[in-house]
Amino acid sequence: MDSFEIDLIKQVKLDYLNYEVQNCIDKVDKYDQDRSFLCHQTLQLYKTLSLFELSYFKKANQCFQNMIEERQKVKGNKVDAIDVATLVLCLIQVFYINVAQTEMINENLLKICEAYREQNENSEQYELGIYLLGKGSYWYFKTNREEGNLTFIADLEKAYQLLDDYKQDIMSFLSWIFFNKQKIDEAEKWGQQLYDLNPRFPGIANNLAIIFNFKGQTEKADKLYQEAEQNCPNNHVILHNLALYYGENGNIQKEQEYYQRSYDIQPRSAQSCHKYGRFKYKNNQKDEAIKILNEGIIIDPEVQENYELLAQIAINDNDANTAIKYLKKCIEISPEDGFQYYKLGECLQIFQRYDEAIEQYRISMQKQNYQNINIICNFYIALCYYKQAKYSDSLEELFNACNKQSSRYSHSNEIVYIVYMINKKLVTIKKTIEIINKQQEKSILKFDQIQKQIIDKNFKGLFQYKLDIFREHLSIKAYQKFVQENLTFQSLYSHFDLYLD
């Protein structure tokens, strides 16, 4: 790159980091003519990020796709640092608005990362931080539906230490990851550090406001929300969050004002149609809500939320066919997203089409899904069997649910049904014993609650026997994990002093 291109990139990046995103876009459109490809890629990256910040989601997504196709056409299989950085930073933005789309693109991120390492590891241009940023981001997107998985954090924190060029982007990403993983103090720490470094970094005031609002620190949240609005008054996400904030605090007038402001921004977005349509429906303006939601579908037929809400309206109107049609459209848009099959199953269950509902719940558990949704699928399958008087199948599914764990799910409903079915002897003694004997240690806490409510002494004894076995197994595992290794070390080295002269 020549000196003009280097200075141009610095100016464009500075505009973005200072939230002058429209200036950033204007500069790129004006000067990105006949540039070197590295300069062109970098300029287009910051233009795309700026479009996301201005809530031009459809246009930003198109720019992102264009960059992927252009890179492939010009470079073929060759991968440079800018290719990894572009994919990561754009996927972060896509993730905020469409998890399923991010998951579909994510496998390509892994291929790009590994190709970058293989091609450049032995050259002076290789940046370990770029590789760690890509790999850490890949594993976050890959495991984002899993609870408590933070194994990828070490890679991202190391990348933060190594990459001055993307330090602020990584800080923002880490803060949001920790918030989503319910590590609120860590989220605040990274968010506050970034805010102290650069209070105008895109989205940081908004994200920090969400954190403070979650912690009940409404005065801080209010100040930061207002600051976020001043920084970028046409950002739909900020306007939606302000509407939600005022709605939670009982200010319906302000809630409507912010939803309508977002809806009125041109070009209109499908996401704002969903938010404003939901507000209208919640406030008993159904016809207007349906009109706005259908407008959102016309604007962008790939945004699922409008179909989902139209399906819910149809369910509430007892219109099964319309609801199913909309939910199948959601599956068509994101065929690997297990949540969409769960929603269809829930709809079919409401209309007492139990066998079809069970089929959708089972597909949901086979797709990309959240653990709490998988547990709900097991529970709802159990309810479908129960409604069909297939009590042994129902009891087995209730225990299947109990063998799964989620911090976001209480198993109180499963326990109530299990206790009721056993006490009422709805399942034969032989089958009940067979089901109980198949259970695993993960259900130990639920077994303890169940056995306290069982009336029959024989069943009560069987539960207690299984509990004793579970505890013994867990004690052995704990011994092997925390004690045995240390004892082996002591056994090998306790007499080391005998070999010293």
PDB file of all heavy atoms in Angstrom, residues 302-321:
ATOM      1  N   GLU A 302     -36.307 -12.805   4.925  1.00  0.00           N
ATOM      2  CA  GLU A 302     -35.429 -13.726   5.643  1.00  0.00           C
ATOM      3  C   GLU A 302     -35.430 -13.482   7.154  1.00  0.00           C
ATOM      4  O   GLU A 302     -34.801 -14.244   7.893  1.00  0.00           O
ATOM      5  CB  GLU A 302     -33.993 -13.610   5.108  1.00  0.00           C
ATOM      6  CG  GLU A 302     -33.839 -13.998   3.652  1.00  0.00           C
ATOM      7  CD  GLU A 302     -34.246 -15.440   3.395  1.00  0.00           C
ATOM      8  OE1 GLU A 302     -33.684 -16.334   4.065  1.00  0.00           O
ATOM      9  OE2 GLU A 302     -35.123 -15.677   2.543  1.00  0.00           O
ATOM     10  N   VAL A 303     -36.094 -12.433   7.615  1.00  0.00           N
ATOM     11  CA  VAL A 303     -36.154 -12.142   9.054  1.00  0.00           C
ATOM     12  C   VAL A 303     -37.293 -12.959   9.670  1.00  0.00           C
ATOM     13  O   VAL A 303     -38.477 -12.744   9.376  1.00  0.00           O
ATOM     14  CB  VAL A 303     -36.363 -10.635   9.301  1.00  0.00           C
ATOM     15  CG1 VAL A 303     -36.584 -10.351  10.788  1.00  0.00           C
ATOM     16  CG2 VAL A 303     -35.148  -9.863   8.791  1.00  0.00           C
ATOM     17  N   GLN A 304     -36.920 -13.885  10.559  1.00  0.00           N
ATOM     18  CA  GLN A 304     -37.891 -14.865  11.071  1.00  0.00           C
ATOM     19  C   GLN A 304     -38.889 -14.285  12.056  1.00  0.00           C
ATOM     20  O   GLN A 304     -40.017 -14.793  12.168  1.00  0.00           O
ATOM     21  CB  GLN A 304     -37.133 -16.008  11.766  1.00  0.00           C
ATOM     22  CG  GLN A 304     -36.296 -16.850  10.822  1.00  0.00           C
ATOM     23  CD  GLN A 304     -35.332 -17.737  11.596  1.00  0.00           C
ATOM     24  OE1 GLN A 304     -34.571 -17.251  12.422  1.00  0.00           O
ATOM     25  NE2 GLN A 304     -35.372 -19.012  11.328  1.00  0.00           N
ATOM     26  N   GLU A 305     -38.484 -13.258  12.806  1.00  0.00           N
ATOM     27  CA  GLU A 305     -39.310 -12.803  13.927  1.00  0.00           C
ATOM     28  C   GLU A 305     -40.718 -12.386  13.503  1.00  0.00           C
ATOM     29  O   GLU A 305     -41.680 -12.586  14.256  1.00  0.00           O
ATOM     30  CB  GLU A 305     -38.622 -11.631  14.643  1.00  0.00           C
ATOM     31  CG  GLU A 305     -37.369 -12.012  15.403  1.00  0.00           C
ATOM     32  CD  GLU A 305     -36.115 -11.855  14.559  1.00  0.00           C
ATOM     33  OE1 GLU A 305     -36.223 -11.974  13.306  1.00  0.00           O
ATOM     34  OE2 GLU A 305     -35.032 -11.615  15.125  1.00  0.00           O
ATOM     35  N   ASN A 306     -40.864 -11.829  12.314  1.00  0.00           N
ATOM     36  CA  ASN A 306     -42.198 -11.418  11.864  1.00  0.00           C
ATOM     37  C   ASN A 306     -43.111 -12.622  11.635  1.00  0.00           C
ATOM     38  O   ASN A 306     -44.292 -12.591  11.968  1.00  0.00           O
ATOM     39  CB  ASN A 306     -42.081 -10.575  10.588  1.00  0.00           C
ATOM     40  CG  ASN A 306     -41.470  -9.209  10.854  1.00  0.00           C
ATOM     41  OD1 ASN A 306     -41.977  -8.438  11.657  1.00  0.00           O
ATOM     42  ND2 ASN A 306     -40.367  -8.915  10.200  1.00  0.00           N
ATOM     43  N   TYR A 307     -42.554 -13.697  11.057  1.00  0.00           N
ATOM     44  CA  TYR A 307     -43.338 -14.927  10.877  1.00  0.00           C
ATOM     45  C   TYR A 307     -43.724 -15.523  12.234  1.00  0.00           C
ATOM     46  O   TYR A 307     -44.858 -16.000  12.423  1.00  0.00           O
ATOM     47  CB  TYR A 307     -42.536 -15.966  10.087  1.00  0.00           C
ATOM     48  CG  TYR A 307     -42.114 -15.556   8.705  1.00  0.00           C
ATOM     49  CD1 TYR A 307     -40.797 -15.211   8.432  1.00  0.00           C
ATOM     50  CD2 TYR A 307     -43.026 -15.519   7.644  1.00  0.00           C
ATOM     51  CE1 TYR A 307     -40.391 -14.847   7.154  1.00  0.00           C
ATOM     52  CE2 TYR A 307     -42.629 -15.159   6.361  1.00  0.00           C
ATOM     53  CZ  TYR A 307     -41.304 -14.823   6.127  1.00  0.00           C
ATOM     54  OH  TYR A 307     -40.901 -14.462   4.864  1.00  0.00           O
ATOM     55  N   GLU A 308     -42.761 -15.505  13.177  1.00  0.00           N
ATOM     56  CA  GLU A 308     -43.007 -16.101  14.498  1.00  0.00           C
ATOM     57  C   GLU A 308     -44.167 -15.415  15.206  1.00  0.00           C
ATOM     58  O   GLU A 308     -45.037 -16.082  15.790  1.00  0.00           O
ATOM     59  CB  GLU A 308     -41.746 -16.011  15.353  1.00  0.00           C
ATOM     60  CG  GLU A 308     -40.610 -16.924  14.890  1.00  0.00           C
ATOM     61  CD  GLU A 308     -39.321 -16.683  15.657  1.00  0.00           C
ATOM     62  OE1 GLU A 308     -39.330 -15.836  16.578  1.00  0.00           O
ATOM     63  OE2 GLU A 308     -38.303 -17.322  15.337  1.00  0.00           O
ATOM     64  N   LEU A 309     -44.192 -14.081  15.155  1.00  0.00           N
ATOM     65  CA  LEU A 309     -45.263 -13.363  15.838  1.00  0.00           C
ATOM     66  C   LEU A 309     -46.596 -13.541  15.115  1.00  0.00           C
ATOM     67  O   LEU A 309     -47.649 -13.691  15.760  1.00  0.00           O
ATOM     68  CB  LEU A 309     -44.918 -11.879  15.960  1.00  0.00           C
ATOM     69  CG  LEU A 309     -45.906 -11.021  16.750  1.00  0.00           C
ATOM     70  CD1 LEU A 309     -46.248 -11.645  18.096  1.00  0.00           C
ATOM     71  CD2 LEU A 309     -45.353  -9.606  16.941  1.00  0.00           C
ATOM     72  N   LEU A 310     -46.562 -13.567  13.785  1.00  0.00           N
ATOM     73  CA  LEU A 310     -47.805 -13.846  13.048  1.00  0.00           C
ATOM     74  C   LEU A 310     -48.333 -15.240  13.369  1.00  0.00           C
ATOM     75  O   LEU A 310     -49.553 -15.442  13.465  1.00  0.00           O
ATOM     76  CB  LEU A 310     -47.561 -13.698  11.538  1.00  0.00           C
ATOM     77  CG  LEU A 310     -47.455 -12.258  11.017  1.00  0.00           C
ATOM     78  CD1 LEU A 310     -46.912 -12.244   9.594  1.00  0.00           C
ATOM     79  CD2 LEU A 310     -48.810 -11.549  11.077  1.00  0.00           C
ATOM     80  N   ALA A 311     -47.421 -16.186  13.565  1.00  0.00           N
ATOM     81  CA  ALA A 311     -47.834 -17.540  13.960  1.00  0.00           C
ATOM     82  C   ALA A 311     -48.487 -17.519  15.331  1.00  0.00           C
ATOM     83  O   ALA A 311     -49.530 -18.167  15.550  1.00  0.00           O
ATOM     84  CB  ALA A 311     -46.624 -18.474  13.954  1.00  0.00           C
ATOM     85  N   GLN A 312     -47.901 -16.774  16.270  1.00  0.00           N
ATOM     86  CA  GLN A 312     -48.478 -16.695  17.619  1.00  0.00           C
ATOM     87  C   GLN A 312     -49.861 -16.037  17.592  1.00  0.00           C
ATOM     88  O   GLN A 312     -50.783 -16.476  18.305  1.00  0.00           O
ATOM     89  CB  GLN A 312     -47.547 -15.908  18.533  1.00  0.00           C
ATOM     90  CG  GLN A 312     -47.963 -15.924  20.001  1.00  0.00           C
ATOM     91  CD  GLN A 312     -48.059 -17.327  20.555  1.00  0.00           C
ATOM     92  OE1 GLN A 312     -47.095 -18.087  20.516  1.00  0.00           O
ATOM     93  NE2 GLN A 312     -49.228 -17.690  21.068  1.00  0.00           N
ATOM     94  N   ILE A 313     -50.020 -15.012  16.760  1.00  0.00           N
ATOM     95  CA  ILE A 313     -51.337 -14.379  16.628  1.00  0.00           C
ATOM     96  C   ILE A 313     -52.358 -15.377  16.086  1.00  0.00           C
ATOM     97  O   ILE A 313     -53.497 -15.454  16.565  1.00  0.00           O
ATOM     98  CB  ILE A 313     -51.245 -13.141  15.708  1.00  0.00           C
ATOM     99  CG1 ILE A 313     -50.405 -12.044  16.377  1.00  0.00           C
ATOM    100  CG2 ILE A 313     -52.631 -12.608  15.356  1.00  0.00           C
ATOM    101  CD1 ILE A 313     -50.076 -10.867  15.475  1.00  0.00           C
ATOM    102  N   ALA A 314     -51.931 -16.169  15.101  1.00  0.00           N
ATOM    103  CA  ALA A 314     -52.835 -17.186  14.527  1.00  0.00           C
ATOM    104  C   ALA A 314     -53.194 -18.242  15.564  1.00  0.00           C
ATOM    105  O   ALA A 314     -54.347 -18.704  15.633  1.00  0.00           O
ATOM    106  CB  ALA A 314     -52.176 -17.834  13.309  1.00  0.00           C
ATOM    107  N   ILE A 315     -52.228 -18.650  16.388  1.00  0.00           N
ATOM    108  CA  ILE A 315     -52.505 -19.627  17.457  1.00  0.00           C
ATOM    109  C   ILE A 315     -53.541 -19.058  18.421  1.00  0.00           C
ATOM    110  O   ILE A 315     -54.506 -19.738  18.799  1.00  0.00           O
ATOM    111  CB  ILE A 315     -51.209 -19.992  18.208  1.00  0.00           C
ATOM    112  CG1 ILE A 315     -50.294 -20.828  17.315  1.00  0.00           C
ATOM    113  CG2 ILE A 315     -51.521 -20.757  19.499  1.00  0.00           C
ATOM    114  CD1 ILE A 315     -48.903 -21.047  17.875  1.00  0.00           C
ATOM    115  N   ASN A 316     -53.341 -17.804  18.809  1.00  0.00           N
ATOM    116  CA  ASN A 316     -54.292 -17.166  19.731  1.00  0.00           C
ATOM    117  C   ASN A 316     -55.679 -17.030  19.114  1.00  0.00           C
ATOM    118  O   ASN A 316     -56.682 -16.968  19.835  1.00  0.00           O
ATOM    119  CB  ASN A 316     -53.774 -15.788  20.146  1.00  0.00           C
ATOM    120  CG  ASN A 316     -52.492 -15.881  20.975  1.00  0.00           C
ATOM    121  OD1 ASN A 316     -52.153 -16.937  21.497  1.00  0.00           O
ATOM    122  ND2 ASN A 316     -51.769 -14.770  21.075  1.00  0.00           N
ATOM    123  N   ASP A 317     -55.730 -16.983  17.771  1.00  0.00           N
ATOM    124  CA  ASP A 317     -57.011 -16.907  17.061  1.00  0.00           C
ATOM    125  C   ASP A 317     -57.556 -18.300  16.711  1.00  0.00           C
ATOM    126  O   ASP A 317     -58.538 -18.419  15.968  1.00  0.00           O
ATOM    127  CB  ASP A 317     -56.856 -16.098  15.769  1.00  0.00           C
ATOM    128  CG  ASP A 317     -56.685 -14.610  16.035  1.00  0.00           C
ATOM    129  OD1 ASP A 317     -56.991 -14.172  17.169  1.00  0.00           O
ATOM    130  OD2 ASP A 317     -56.242 -13.885  15.125  1.00  0.00           O
ATOM    131  N   ASN A 318     -56.867 -19.343  17.199  1.00  0.00           N
ATOM    132  CA  ASN A 318     -57.275 -20.732  16.947  1.00  0.00           C
ATOM    133  C   ASN A 318     -57.219 -21.094  15.465  1.00  0.00           C
ATOM    134  O   ASN A 318     -57.990 -21.919  14.969  1.00  0.00           O
ATOM    135  CB  ASN A 318     -58.689 -20.985  17.497  1.00  0.00           C
ATOM    136  CG  ASN A 318     -58.927 -22.454  17.805  1.00  0.00           C
ATOM    137  OD1 ASN A 318     -58.006 -23.169  18.212  1.00  0.00           O
ATOM    138  ND2 ASN A 318     -60.151 -22.921  17.600  1.00  0.00           N
ATOM    139  N   ASP A 319     -56.275 -20.522  14.740  1.00  0.00           N
ATOM    140  CA  ASP A 319     -56.104 -20.754  13.303  1.00  0.00           C
ATOM    141  C   ASP A 319     -54.851 -21.613  13.098  1.00  0.00           C
ATOM    142  O   ASP A 319     -53.748 -21.093  12.864  1.00  0.00           O
ATOM    143  CB  ASP A 319     -55.984 -19.417  12.575  1.00  0.00           C
ATOM    144  CG  ASP A 319     -55.903 -19.580  11.063  1.00  0.00           C
ATOM    145  OD1 ASP A 319     -55.794 -20.722  10.581  1.00  0.00           O
ATOM    146  OD2 ASP A 319     -55.938 -18.543  10.356  1.00  0.00           O
ATOM    147  N   ALA A 320     -55.017 -22.912  13.187  1.00  0.00           N
ATOM    148  CA  ALA A 320     -53.882 -23.840  13.149  1.00  0.00           C
ATOM    149  C   ALA A 320     -53.137 -23.781  11.822  1.00  0.00           C
ATOM    150  O   ALA A 320     -51.900 -23.753  11.792  1.00  0.00           O
ATOM    151  CB  ALA A 320     -54.363 -25.263  13.414  1.00  0.00           C
ATOM    152  N   ASN A 321     -53.856 -23.783  10.726  1.00  0.00           N
ATOM    153  CA  ASN A 321     -53.207 -23.855   9.409  1.00  0.00           C
ATOM    154  C   ASN A 321     -52.301 -22.651   9.151  1.00  0.00           C
ATOM    155  O   ASN A 321     -51.184 -22.795   8.633  1.00  0.00           O
ATOM    156  CB  ASN A 321     -54.265 -23.977   8.309  1.00  0.00           C
ATOM    157  CG  ASN A 321     -54.963 -25.324   8.344  1.00  0.00           C
ATOM    158  OD1 ASN A 321     -54.401 -26.309   8.813  1.00  0.00           O
ATOM    159  ND2 ASN A 321     -56.191 -25.374   7.852  1.00  0.00           N
TER     160      ASN A 321
END
